[in-house]
Amino acid sequence: MTRTSQEIRLAARPAGRPDASTWELTTSEVPEPAEGQIVVRVGLISLDPAMRGWLNDVRSYIPPVGVGEVMRALGAGEVVASAHPDFAVGDVVSGNFGVCEYALSDTKGVTHLDLDVAPMETWLGALGMPGMTAYFGLEDVGRVQPGDTVLVSAAAGAVGSTVAQLAKAKGCRVIGVAGGPDKVAWLRELGLDEVIDRRDGDLLRQVRKAAPDGIDVYFDNVGGELLDAALANLARGARVVICGAIATYNDETLAEGPRRYMSLLVFRATMQGFVVFDYADRYPEGVEAISRLIADGRMTATETVLEGGVPAFPDALLGLFDGVNTGKLLLRV
């Protein structure tokens, strides 16, 4: 059977914010799988801030997407053809399928999804890469302990909302930072102890007021001014977890570095970056811990699903930087 697949390819590397010239919508035929391969009908595409970094031709933890290549993206869907003994037609799977309708895969990195545990959307959110990022960043890099004061930036996003709820479940005092009254109200509903609206300005003052005794763990998804505000308000022995810097991803010039890094010396603190892929062999540990919290009602997995299929991807990706999502942002194919 002949299948055709719409796909988004990288047409040109963007300078600053991606626009229509960055992408090309193409259609190609999907061959039948050879031995060891499967064909997946993609149902959901994961939209992640890291995608913007993958467009830059710079040295990083993963090679950039090549010009002319299908845009890299995690996704989930159903196996519709298989020449692999471990995958049957009808299986629901996730993997790095790209921005496309159908994906031919050698099954490397492809995992089966148990929809009795959680819906497909959650397997790309709290039980997927964002959840694993939150879990291992907080536990292994942040070395979080009960009673810690934890500050989380982009706390209404996919990673941030999971970090905040994991920290609450651990017995921490949790302060979230988000933009706008709706997201602030939602975070309060999740049970955070304090919520800062970044749109109110003077982040240094707001963080100091929310954490008068200092911050033990700062989980940073944003960078920029908020990172400086956190550094100025550390507790002794604090751990700063560098997960991302979405505030600077579309900057056309190199972002200014943190100005208050000497606080690391004063407060005997550490600041460490990490990449979730380094924990791939431990993902089952994170999935078990988070799925247990969801089942117990101690964590809420939230997704914002955009419609429009593959052609809607360019605008959907920009939604990350415009803050359209609460929780995980997904595109339905």
Side-chain angles (χ1 to χ4, degrees):
M1 140 177 215
T2 301
R3 298 181 179 87
T4 59
S5 176
Q6 284 189 311
E7 55 214 7
I8 292 287
R9 296 179 182 269
L10 179 63
R13 300 201 183 279
R17 187 177 170 98
D19 58 23
S21 68
T22 305
W23 311 108
E24 180 184 11
L25 177 64
T26 63
T27 302
S28 64
E29 286 193 0
V30 183
E32 287 298 300
E35 185 176 353
Q37 295 181 326
I38 60 174
V39 175
V40 177
R41 182 173 61 228
V42 179
L44 291 168
I45 293 170
S46 176
L47 299 167
D48 299 289
M51 287 174 149
R52 180 59 187 85
W54 298 341
L55 303 181
N56 298 329
D57 190 8
V58 296
R59 182 170 172 262
S60 187
Y61 62 89
I62 190 171
V65 177
V67 174
E69 293 180 353
V70 174
M71 177 59 192
R72 180 185 298 137
L74 298 173
E78 181 182 350
V79 176
V80 293
S82 177
H84 194 293
D86 297 333
F87 294 86
V89 171
D91 285 354
V92 180
V93 296
S94 66
N96 184 15
F97 300 134
V99 181
C100 58
E101 293 176 313
Y102 290 90
L104 179 67
S105 171
D106 62 5
T107 75
K108 182 179 180 180
V110 175
T111 58
H112 289 87
L113 304 183
D114 186 347
L115 299 189
D116 290 332
V117 173
M120 189 187 296
E121 290 84 354
T122 301
W123 281 107
L124 288 177
L127 295 180
M129 187 175 71
M132 300 306 99
T133 301
Y135 180 81
F136 293 107
L138 192 62
E139 290 285 341
D140 282 50
V141 184
R143 306 188 305 280
V144 68
Q145 299 295 322
D148 280 347
T149 294
V150 178
L151 176 69
V152 187
S153 62
V159 173
S161 60
T162 308
V163 170
Q165 293 180 88
L166 284 170
K168 282 300 297 180
K170 190 87 172 184
C172 300
R173 180 172 181 267
V174 180
I175 306 164
V177 184
D182 290 343
K183 291 185 177 181
V184 168
W186 180 69
L187 290 172
R188 293 192 188 281
E189 290 176 7
L190 291 183
L192 274 64
D193 298 280
E194 298 282 349
V195 184
I196 292 170
D197 190 339
R198 59 176 173 78
R199 296 180 185 176
D200 289 343
D202 198 349
L203 291 172
L204 183 65
R205 178 190 60 79
Q206 289 202 74
V207 171
R208 185 159 293 163
K209 180 179 179 182
D213 297 323
I215 300 158
D216 298 296
V217 178
Y218 173 46
F219 198 105
D220 188 25
N221 297 298
V222 172
E225 180 188 359
L226 185 52
L227 175 56
D228 272 326
L231 289 173
N233 289 285
L234 298 179
R236 182 165 175 162
R239 290 81 69 198
V240 178
V241 181
I242 303 297
C243 177
I246 194 171
T248 66
Y249 285 170
N250 288 314
D251 289 354
E252 295 189 46
T253 58
L254 193 63
E256 185 176 295
R259 293 170 295 177
R260 297 180 179 271
Y261 73 93
M262 284 299 290
S263 292
L264 299 172
L265 181 155
V266 172
F267 297 108
R268 291 76 152 177
T270 59
M271 183 162 67
Q272 180 181 340
F274 77 105
V275 175
V276 69
F277 302 144
D278 295 340
Y279 296 89
D281 61 342
R282 292 176 56 195
Y283 285 176
E285 172 191 336
V287 169
E288 180 182 0
I290 293 175
S291 60
R292 187 167 58 247
L293 290 175
I294 293 173
D296 291 347
R298 290 188 290 162
M299 178 177 290
T300 300
T302 302
E303 303 88 26
T304 299
V305 182
L306 303 180
E307 304 293 338
V310 166
F313 171 79
D315 289 335
L317 180 64
L318 294 179
L320 282 171
F321 307 102
D322 296 334
V324 303
N325 59 300
T326 299
K328 175 65 184 166
L329 187 62
L330 299 165
L331 175 63
R332 194 182 312 280
V333 179

